């Protein structure tokens, strides 16, 4: 079955770079029209879309965060990596990765359980 | 970016009631609008995709409608397990955007 699992540090200091890994199973990152997306949610607040990477390595980013985000994948390891530079306490959130299809109308159908990242000195 | 505005932000209802949540896009998102349910401490779960299509396994008391800029999620005959937070999301183009959420509480 399809599963996604996020991993990374639970605590980072302000100005540090965050690296999160999404390890997937049950599907291949190289399969045509397969994409992985990252979404975050600050405590008690709404969902915020961050980035998407497609099977053909096309990448898309949040307008407000694109200067700080990099998404990449390692197909051989079934992993998608999200890095976010210059972390701030406002970036404290639960970070989710999710699988989605390609094109308008696609949607995240399988989600990881999320990983809480706290930014504090 | 397409801005998504949900209303109301919170809603109180009783078991057995029918409730409607609305979502308005700042520009047309065609019918590429999805609805999610989220319970505390859990990842969101898709209920409706492409405005009106029920995700597999989701009870038929959930329904969606709309196109262009105005969309609705209707929950008929509320069950205790339906009390949660609901989000809309446009997937017409990137950057994908979510509404601010509607918290459905028991009256």
């Amino acid at each position: 079955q399809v599963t996604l699992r996020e991993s990374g540090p639970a605590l980072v200091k302000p100005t540090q770079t965050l690296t999160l890994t999404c390890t997937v199973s049950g599907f291949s990152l190289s399969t045509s029209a397969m994409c992985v997306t990252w979404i975050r949610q600050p405590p008690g607040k709404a969902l915020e879309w961050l980035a998407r990477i497609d099977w053909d390595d096309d990448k898309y980013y949040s307008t407000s965060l694109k200067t700080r985000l990099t998404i990449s994948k390692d197909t051989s390891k079934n992993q998608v990596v999200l890095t976010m530079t210059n972390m701030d306490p406002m970036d404290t959130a639960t970070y989710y990765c999710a699988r989605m299809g390609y094109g308008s109308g696609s949607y995240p159908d399988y989600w990881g359980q999320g990983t809480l990242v706290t930014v504090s000195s | 970016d397409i801005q998504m505005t949900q209303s109301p932000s919170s809603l109180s209802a009783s078991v057995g009631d029918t409730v409607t949540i609305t979502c308005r896009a700042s520009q047309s998102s065609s019918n590429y609008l999805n609805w999610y349910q989220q319970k505390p401490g859990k990842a969101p779960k898709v209920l409706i995709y492409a405005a009106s299509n029920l995700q597999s396994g989701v009870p038929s008391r959930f329904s969606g409608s709309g196109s262009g800029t105005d969309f609705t999620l209707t929950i008929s005959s509320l069950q205790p397990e339906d009390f949660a937070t609901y989000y809309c999301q446009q997937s017409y183009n990137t950057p994908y955007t979510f509404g601010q959420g509607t918290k459905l509480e028991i009256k």
Side-chain angles (χ1 to χ4, degrees), chain A residues 21-82:
Chain A
T21 300
C22 177
T23 302
V24 309
S25 64
F27 69 100
S28 171
L29 297 173
S30 61
T31 298
S32 181
M34 202 57 63
C35 312
V36 170
T37 193
W38 285 92
I39 293 155
R40 74 177 179 179
Q41 184 173 39
K45 296 189 176 181
L47 300 164
E48 179 182 20
W49 180 79
L50 299 177
R52 188 187 99 195
I53 189 165
D54 295 351
W55 82 100
D56 59 359
D57 220 37
D58 279 350
K59 300 162 188 175
Y60 304 86
Y61 295 101
S62 158
T63 301
S64 60
L65 293 169
K66 61 184 176 183
T67 60
R68 299 173 53 206
L69 292 173
T70 302
I71 192 170
S72 63
K73 63 181 171 71
D74 185 331
T75 302
S76 66
K77 293 183 178 179
N78 295 320
Q79 292 180 334
V80 174
V81 175
L82 182 75

Side-chain angles (χ1 to χ4, degrees), chain A residues 41 52 63 104-108, chain B residues 1 36 38 55 91-92 96:
Chain A
Q41 184 173 39
R52 188 187 99 195
T63 301
S104 295
S106 62
Y107 58 94
Chain B
D1 297 8
Y36 301 86
Q38 187 180 32
Q55 177 74 348
S91 56
Y92 179 61
Y96 301 134

Side-chain angles (χ1 to χ4, degrees), chain B residues 61-87:
Chain B
R61 62 181 180 273
F62 292 91
S63 63
S65 64
S67 66
T69 60
D70 294 302
F71 303 88
T72 60
L73 172 70
T74 299
I75 313 171
S76 303
S77 187
L78 276 170
Q79 298 301 299
E81 61 267 28
D82 299 337
F83 292 92
T85 301
Y86 294 84
Y87 293 94

Side-chain angles (χ1 to χ4, degrees), chain B residues 46-58:
Chain B
V46 61
L47 301 172
I48 302 285
Y49 65 94
S52 60
N53 295 276
L54 195 66
Q55 177 74 348
S56 175
V58 174

